[in-house]
Amino acid sequence: MEKPDHTSPPLVNENLEKLAALFPDCVVEGANGKVVDFDLLKQEISHAVVEGPRERYRLDWPGKRAAIVSAGKPATQALHPVRTDSLHFDETANIYIEGDNLEVLKLLQPHYLAKVKMIYIDPPYNTGRNFVYSDNFTQGDGNHYPLNSSPDEYPEAGSRYHANWLSMIYPRLKLAAALLHEDGIIFISIDDRELPNLRRICDEIFGEINFVSCLPRLTKKAGKSTSMIARNNDYVLCYRRSPYARFNTTAFEAQGYTHADEYEPERGRYKLNQTLDYSSIQYSASLDYEIEIDGQVLRPGNVTREEMLKRQQRNPQSDFCWRWSKGLYEFGLKHGFVVLKQSRHGYRIYTKTYEKATISKAGSGYAVEMKERTKAFTSLDFIDNRFSNDNARKDMGKLFEGKIFEYSKPVSLISELIALSTSAGDIVLDFFSGSATTAHAVYSLAAHTGQQREFILVQEPQLTAEESDAYHAGYKNICEIGKERIRRAGKSIKEETGAVFDDGFRVYRLGPL
């Protein structure tokens, strides 16, 4: 029996692909292609810091190795149910968890490994202020700057400013990746301060091949006076778990469909934007024929019969003719897809474009096909005012008085992301849940589409400032705001729409074992 050659290029590439699927950050770009970073592989397997002298193309910072190891350490706390804060605890599939998200992500692994279809997070943007996720990783630089120091205040602290943030986000994304289903997708809101570093981290964790897009989002229309450029956008960074991930088609925006006829109940409204005859298409004598409609005889280009016959004999490369064959026209006329209109140039035949119906081939003939129109999602879809921070404030203003929570994202943004990447029954995870916009979006989609998703929200119980509207309204930490928003959003949406959906949530709190 011949011994296999384990050094053959096909087998080496196959093994590299298998290893990359399990440990994407351990297969890196070398001088002659992809190679295994054995130091990182040992670290992944042993969950211990492994020092290696070899230079590589990758993102490094003081404390990275400790951050990687932290993701592999076992959880030291447990989740305890809080029934008094929950709504329909025994009936609901939705979950709200109070506690440090690094610890919570570890506790979610056994039950939710590879089961989450979509993750959305809005982590701190690293402005150098109010950075509450301090994991105390060793920096090793011997300097002592204030924990929340920014490069503007302490220029020499720039590396620590980034290192603190990178050490915070890395292990959380590492654990989150394991929770994603094979066809799962993650969306991360970020601004330009850490966008380059976040992309490099996600390339390591998810694999560069699984980068999907970096979507700009309009934050505000107006900008502050500046001698440079006003910052009016941030980004939604998107990665998939594997190439198996696919987006859903998005709803078609029916603009211009202003006309109605007897078919409106089933076909929707229609628009008239195309005449049946055209001059800019390839001429065909078979499409150059007379049509009699409503007592009028029409020919392509409104020519005389003699001119039409001469054109047929001439058979030019390009000239007026009908867009539809005679058989298709007769079917369209019989089923209400054509209309005669008079203009200053005489009578013209127009074809109707319906919102929900079209003509399709059926054997040797034709049939009216009912289908929802869809459009492709583009990288500029979020450059629209309905996704701006102003709408986020309006979302909160409908539920609360005063400025209860700053810097939340609009429901429209997260609803769009959920609709784009999930289906009914899928699990949506947000482990920087803030004011619980993600739960609000899940409820909104359930009410308006009839499709129920499950959510898991995680939030650190960060204290509200004593001078804030939230504190004076009785909310002592962010979790209290989030839970109350979920209750109010579910009730408000049900009252407004009359829809029936699961508006409950089970509350758990991180605590000692």
Side-chain angles (χ1 to χ4, degrees):
M1 190 171 181
E2 187 176 348
K3 185 178 179 181
D5 180 9
H6 293 286
T7 63
S8 65
L11 193 56
V12 168
N13 290 334
E14 182 182 344
N15 289 333
L16 277 174
E17 288 178 6
K18 291 178 180 178
L19 192 62
L22 295 171
F23 306 103
D25 54 325
C26 296
V27 178
V28 298
E29 199 68 43
N32 299 309
K34 295 197 177 296
V35 296
V36 178
D37 185 330
F38 288 102
D39 291 332
L40 276 180
L41 183 59
K42 290 176 186 176
Q43 185 164 288
E44 287 279 6
I45 296 172
S46 65
H47 303 308
V49 175
V50 178
E51 297 296 339
R54 187 157 53 90
E55 293 181 341
R56 306 169 182 85
Y57 174 75
R58 67 182 185 190
L59 176 64
D60 274 320
W61 66 89
K64 179 179 180 180
R65 290 183 180 276
I68 295 173
V69 169
S70 72
K73 290 181 177 179
T76 58
Q77 300 183 70
L79 295 177
H80 305 280
V82 186
R83 286 181 171 268
T84 54
D85 287 0
S86 304
L87 184 63
H88 311 313
F89 189 98
D90 295 320
E91 293 82 35
T92 185
N94 302 316
I95 296 174
Y96 185 93
I97 303 174
E98 300 180 31
D100 172 36
N101 53 16
L102 180 61
E103 194 78 353
V104 172
L105 287 168
K106 294 176 182 180
L107 293 170
L108 292 177
Q109 297 294 320
H111 187 68
Y112 291 99
L113 186 70
K115 291 183 179 179
V116 174
K117 184 62 181 296
M118 176 247 191
I119 296 174
Y120 170 78
I121 57 172
D122 183 15
Y125 277 10
N126 202 12
T127 60
R129 299 182 299 274
N130 302 324
F131 193 72
V132 300
Y133 295 89
S134 175
D135 297 319
N136 297 319
F137 297 127
T138 302
Q139 300 298 313
D141 59 7
N143 295 318
H144 301 283
Y145 309 109
L147 176 63
N148 295 329
S149 59
S150 73
D152 297 332
E153 299 167 307
Y154 295 86
E156 68 275 22
S159 61
R160 175 170 178 170
Y161 163 83
H162 291 292
N164 280 341
W165 191 88
L166 292 168
S167 291
M168 178 278 297
I169 200 69
Y170 192 98
R172 289 165 171 82
L173 288 178
K174 187 81 172 172
L175 291 164
L179 296 175
L180 272 179
H181 192 272
E182 184 181 35
D183 62 352
I185 294 174
I186 183 170
F187 300 97
I188 309 170
S189 283
I190 197 68
D191 71 356
D192 48 11
R193 293 179 183 90
E194 294 295 352
L195 175 62
N197 290 331
L198 182 60
R199 280 202 60 173
R200 296 284 298 279
I201 284 177
C202 288
D203 284 347
E204 284 190 22
I205 293 174
F206 299 99
E208 190 174 356
I209 191 174
N210 290 317
F211 168 73
V212 177
S213 186
C214 181
L215 308 166
R217 178 191 72 101
L218 179 73
T219 56
K220 56 185 177 180
K221 282 284 189 182
K224 292 181 180 178
S225 259
T226 173
S227 59
M228 298 299 287
I229 298 175
R231 291 178 175 174
N232 284 21
N233 76 284
D234 58 11
Y235 305 90
V236 178
L237 189 60
C238 177
Y239 277 78
R240 60 190 179 184
R241 190 68 184 94
S242 77
Y244 292 106
R246 294 288 184 273
F247 279 158
N248 300 320
T249 52
T250 58
F252 181 74
E253 296 175 3
Q255 296 180 356
Y257 289 77
T258 57
H259 303 286
D261 58 18
E262 67 271 26
Y263 301 103
E264 183 183 3
E266 61 270 18
R267 299 182 188 177
R269 290 177 172 264
Y270 69 89
K271 62 181 178 180
L272 296 174
N273 62 346
Q274 285 187 303
T275 57
L276 186 61
D277 61 338
Y278 247 93
S279 64
S280 58
I281 59 176
Q282 183 176 351
Y283 178 80
S284 171
S286 65
L287 298 176
D288 198 1
Y289 55 88
E290 288 183 336
I291 289 177
E292 185 172 348
I293 178 173
D294 293 348
Q296 301 290 325
V297 177
L298 283 86
R299 305 169 193 89
N302 279 347
V303 298
T304 64
R305 178 176 175 79
E306 290 73 19
E307 288 171 330
M308 183 189 74
L309 294 174
K310 290 180 180 179
R311 183 170 58 199
Q312 290 173 347
Q313 292 177 349
R314 194 170 69 252
N315 196 24
Q317 184 174 354
S318 177
D319 207 327
F320 272 100
C321 60
W322 302 120
R323 291 185 290 109
W324 289 1
S325 68
K326 194 166 187 178
L328 177 56
Y329 164 75
E330 290 173 349
F331 180 90
L333 176 65
K334 181 179 179 181
H335 293 87
F337 279 83
V338 298
V339 62
L340 181 67
K341 293 183 70 69
Q342 188 174 17
S343 68
R344 60 178 181 172
H345 300 296
Y347 287 96
R348 303 289 297 276
I349 299 175
Y350 285 81
T351 57
K352 297 179 182 179
T353 302
Y354 286 96
E355 291 179 272
K356 303 175 184 178
T358 187
I359 300 175
S360 61
K361 286 286 291 182
S364 59
Y366 302 94
V368 178
E369 182 180 359
M370 307 303 301
K371 64 178 182 180
E372 293 288 342
R373 294 182 181 272
T374 58
K375 66 182 181 70
F377 189 83
T378 79
S379 62
L380 295 178
D381 277 16
F382 293 140
I383 304 297
D384 189 288
N385 195 54
R386 66 192 179 100
F387 300 111
S388 70
N389 292 341
D390 183 51
N391 283 286
R393 286 187 286 271
K394 291 177 182 176
D395 293 335
M396 289 295 286
K398 292 176 182 177
L399 303 176
F400 298 92
E401 292 182 4
K403 294 182 179 179
I404 296 297
F405 192 89
E406 294 283 349
Y407 311 119
S408 63
K409 294 297 184 289
V411 173
S412 56
L413 171 69
I414 304 180
S415 294
E416 189 86 0
L417 296 176
I418 295 172
L420 191 64
S421 58
T422 69
S423 301
D426 285 337
I427 299 173
V428 177
L429 170 64
D430 182 348
F431 52 91
F432 286 95
S433 69
S435 67
T437 308
T438 296
H440 194 158
V442 168
Y443 288 168
S444 179
L445 275 175
H448 291 99
T449 67
Q451 294 188 332
Q452 182 84 50
R453 281 88 168 170
E454 301 175 19
F455 65 73
I456 303 173
L457 267 57
V458 185
Q459 177 58 43
E460 177 96 10
Q462 180 187 357
L463 298 178
T464 55
E466 292 187 8
E467 67 276 9
S468 67
D469 288 356
Y471 185 88
H472 290 297
Y475 303 106
K476 299 302 185 281
N477 63 58
I478 293 178
C479 291
E480 292 181 7
I481 298 173
K483 289 179 290 186
E484 184 60 20
R485 179 181 187 176
I486 298 174
R487 297 185 194 100
R488 295 190 183 193
K491 181 180 179 181
S492 173
I493 292 170
K494 281 191 169 182
E495 290 176 349
E496 181 182 332
T497 64
V500 177
F501 58 89
D502 176 10
D503 65 339
F505 61 102
R506 304 198 306 269
V507 177
Y508 294 87
R509 187 171 292 143
L510 194 65
L513 290 169

